[in-house]
Amino acid sequence: MRTQVGIIGAGPAGLLLSHLLHLAGIESVLLETQTRKHVEERVRAGVLEEVAERLLIDTGVGGRLKREGLRHHGIKIRYNGEGHRIDFKHLTGSHVTVYGQQEVVKDLIAVRLGAGGDIRFEVAEVSPHDFEGAEPHIRFMENGKQQVLHCDFIAGCDGFHGVCRPAIPSSSLTVFEREYPFGWLGVLVEAPPASEELIYAHHERGFALLSMRSPQVSRLYVQCDPNDDIANWSDARVWEEFHARMSGDDGVRQQEGRIIQKGITAMRSFVVEPMQHGKLFLAGDAAHIVPPTGAKGMNLAVADVSILSRALEAYYKKGREELLAAYSAICLRRIWKVQRFSWWMTSMLHKFAEHTPFDRRRQLAEIDYVTSSRAAATSLAENYVGLPMERDWVQDNRKTQSRSSNDFFRARLANPWAAFRKRRDARHILG
Ligand code: APR
Ligand code: PHB
């Protein structure tokens, strides 16, 4: 079996990469260990930056996103029992869209299969080989039979616990990591969200977040011990903690409803450098993890594969290798800024056991500053709605910038090369 790009992992990174490659006329085969049902039902993050939303819409996978995605022009930060709005529209001209990651996954699977794409679910024992040499290939088991997929390149989109990153010699990689002494308990609830916008709450009992999936379904989180047993969190305890942390004088009170999903996620910041080794390229969670407070996990996966697909396109259509060589460096500039933002939001809003009274006062002063200074609020807002994808998209104001990135994707669909011509080489992109 042979293809141009062998992709491991059918999360947002792998699926979107195979879709973008297909639009560019590049063949891929996607290998996934889980069932289709499992990947389509896995409850994950739910906030899309405008640039990621536009990429999905402009590449033809945004039909349902346009109808069902909830456009948000701000968030609320709550402390000392009071809500303070950060107005994205006013501060940046931009917005985010709340749309569950598993919905993005469903839409991408439908579009790929509809276009005759080759996605193999439920394969086993997947392993990448010879990506340092001339014959890259992936071995896997399918229906009890050993298979070999030969390819020009391997894309490791297999998440944090996948096989691709560990297949790279550890002497070639540097890991940057920070674990947090807390996790998030997340629940999905059949009840309308108490607020039209997300509420991030700082509270002496710990952080809480009110989010949503639709006008009828709420997504709620409370800070907890990352090693806690989910069995310790009865529905009654979840409600008690959530109400206590969201309490205040302004009457925000989440309506209770049936809890249809419950889980605890540990929080870490993680980056591996470089994100490539020979002909193996890592993308998404396989290369980096952010704590969820900045709502960036899915957006980083989208940014990585948008860059990787363009680099592969440059290779196949023009024989140019410099974008592939620069893939990691281009991605990492964005990734580190997003890491900084996610770490900062996490540090500002959570309760840390080791905090001294001084640290607690400083933390409150920081939230006070962010919610009362236009400059500080703008910094939060521009990071939350999403930094521009590349340096040469940065314009003096976001309206112009939106237009230029829109034009980029349109041009790319109509004529994949038009947009590339504007980008002379990797050095230009890196500025
Ligand atoms: N072989 C094939 N597939 C694998 C293997 C393997 N050995 N190991 C893992 N996978 C699959 C997983 O089952 C999963 O479907 O790879 C996929 C990785 O998908 P994600 O974990 O969703 O990662 P990614 O596509 O990078 O998306 C990042 O996911 O965890 C969230 O917050 C994160 O929003 C971010 C997004
Ligand atoms: C979510 O809706 O799942 C969500 C929203 C915002 C975050 C994290 C998660 O910061």
Side-chain angles (χ1 to χ4, degrees), residues 8-14 31-34 39 42 44-45 101 126 157-163 283-286 297-298 301:
I8 303 182
L31 303 174
E32 166 63 52
T33 44
Q34 301 288 345
V39 299
R42 206 164 31 192
R44 293 282 198 53
Q101 179 170 313
V126 181
C157 302
D158 49 347
F160 186 65
H161 300 287
V163 291
D285 276 16
M298 174 164 51

Side-chain angles (χ1 to χ4, degrees), residues 2 67 78 84 94 127 172 226 235 250 284 303 311 333-334 350 405 430:
R2 172 151 204 109
R67 287 193 305 278
R78 196 170 176 80
H84 302 264
S94 190
S127 55
S172 303
D235 292 2
D250 54 3
R333 282 191 71 182
R334 181 181 191 83
H350 287 75
S405 47
L430 289 169

